[in-house]
Amino acid sequence: MNAWHLRESWRSRLGTVRWDRFGDPGGEPVVLLHGTPFSSYVWRGFARALTGRRVHVWDMPGYGSSEKFDGQDLSLAALGEVFRDLLEHWGLAEPDVVAHDSGGAVALGAHLLHGAPYRSLALVDAVALGPWGSPFSRLAGEHAGVFERLPPALHRALVREYVRSAAARELRPDVLDALVAPWLGDEGQRAFYRQLAQRTADAEYTTAMRDRYATIDLPVLVCWGADDAWVPAARGRELAALVPGARLEVLPGAGHLVHEDSPVELTVALTGFLGR
């Protein structure tokens, strides 16, 4: 049920990106972005549910099944440029965009800083307003060189606990395994702390964009888990207030991994917005 394999690849300026397409080839395009430390796997259920739309998913460079290497630029600014380029590669002029966590910052940057046009934007528990990042992510990001040298078993236990903390409800064992798998092994372990270090260095990125949110001129949905322990729901309410005309939906009982905590409620909120 949880098998997830991206069949296509594209060579970006930051390495090879894995991607895939679902749904109706003639349908209106929807693009789904994941965040940190996740992959397109978090969107597997929603991507398959949008049968009447042309749904594009991708693993960002340094994440999931996409290429990972030492020295890779995983800054939010660089990922925003790659996303703009990927939309051009796909030939998508004005897709609907749905973005989770740091994928929100990537989507916002691609639109506001790099001119990527969207028809609409849904931001789900998005990294958009500082301060952000959990105490563990900040600690590991600041001392990435030390954490990279942890014994594999200890690293695995840390990553599992970290990912588990993103959900308000207990994750199924197979789902937790799938979320953690890209970060295991020598390459995965180095990549995990590399991206956390980059997020620590990105702390000013969203602050610099804050004043631009008032210039967004397209339909926006801000959707949040009420019990998000990583990026509190108050941050979602603040974001919705900054974006002209933005709709706010807060999902009771859901944490940061709202896809796993409240998949039905999230699907209803997003499909209602996309089908407006």
Side-chain angles (χ1 to χ4, degrees):
M1 178 181 177
N2 287 320
W4 185 249
H5 173 69
L6 303 183
R7 297 166 292 182
E8 306 291 341
S9 63
W10 169 68
R11 185 70 183 174
S12 81
R13 66 184 73 185
L14 302 181
T16 300
V17 165
R18 301 291 301 179
W19 67 275
D20 212 331
R21 184 169 49 228
F22 298 88
D24 182 354
E28 292 294 328
V30 181
V31 182
L32 309 179
L33 287 82
H34 67 84
T36 298
F38 308 110
S39 71
S40 59
Y41 176 80
V42 299
W43 290 115
R44 66 199 181 282
F46 185 63
R48 290 163 172 162
L50 290 177
T51 53
R53 304 293 297 268
R54 179 165 34 123
V55 185
H56 293 255
V57 298
W58 64 304
D59 285 349
M60 295 185 198
Y63 293 82
S65 57
S66 289
E67 189 174 2
K68 307 174 181 70
F69 56 85
D70 292 335
Q72 193 173 21
D73 184 358
L74 301 179
S75 65
L76 293 171
L79 292 173
E81 291 186 54
V82 167
F83 182 50
R84 176 203 60 196
D85 295 345
L86 181 58
L87 291 177
E88 292 177 359
H89 171 71
W90 285 335
L92 302 184
E94 286 191 342
D96 292 304
V97 173
V98 180
H100 176 243
D101 185 78
S102 59
V106 171
L108 286 163
H111 179 64
L112 294 171
L113 303 179
H114 305 302
Y118 307 151
R119 188 170 79 160
S120 70
L121 176 61
L123 298 166
V124 181
D125 295 75
V127 168
L129 296 170
W132 42 267
S134 69
F136 169 72
S137 68
R138 288 191 293 269
L139 176 67
E142 290 167 2
H143 303 281
V146 175
F147 280 83
E148 284 177 7
R149 299 195 296 273
L150 286 174
L154 182 54
H155 163 73
R156 180 177 181 273
L158 277 174
V159 177
R160 288 179 69 83
E161 188 55 38
Y162 177 52
V163 170
R164 186 183 285 118
S165 72
R169 300 185 173 101
E170 191 67 26
L171 291 171
R172 287 205 331 254
D174 61 320
V175 171
L176 181 58
D177 287 346
L179 291 170
V180 169
W183 307 120
L184 302 182
D186 185 54
E187 179 188 85
Q189 181 166 339
R190 292 199 312 273
F192 180 77
Y193 297 111
R194 184 187 307 128
Q195 52 89 26
L196 287 184
Q198 186 65 69
R199 290 299 151 264
T200 301
D202 270 332
E204 297 304 314
Y205 180 80
T206 50
T207 301
M209 280 204 301
R210 180 188 176 103
D211 290 343
R212 296 175 183 261
Y213 296 158
T215 69
I216 296 175
D217 186 21
L218 56 116
V220 173
L221 171 68
V222 177
C223 188
W224 228 268
D227 298 330
D228 189 333
W230 283 19
V231 187
R235 208 70 48 78
R237 295 186 182 94
E238 183 182 358
L239 176 61
L242 290 172
V243 178
R247 244 174 70 190
L248 174 67
E249 294 236 13
V250 179
L251 304 183
H256 190 68
L257 267 179
V258 61
H259 327 65
E260 306 300 332
D261 288 330
S262 299
V264 173
E265 293 83 353
L266 177 63
T267 298
V268 168
L270 292 177
T271 53
F273 173 68
L274 294 172
R276 64 199 177 286

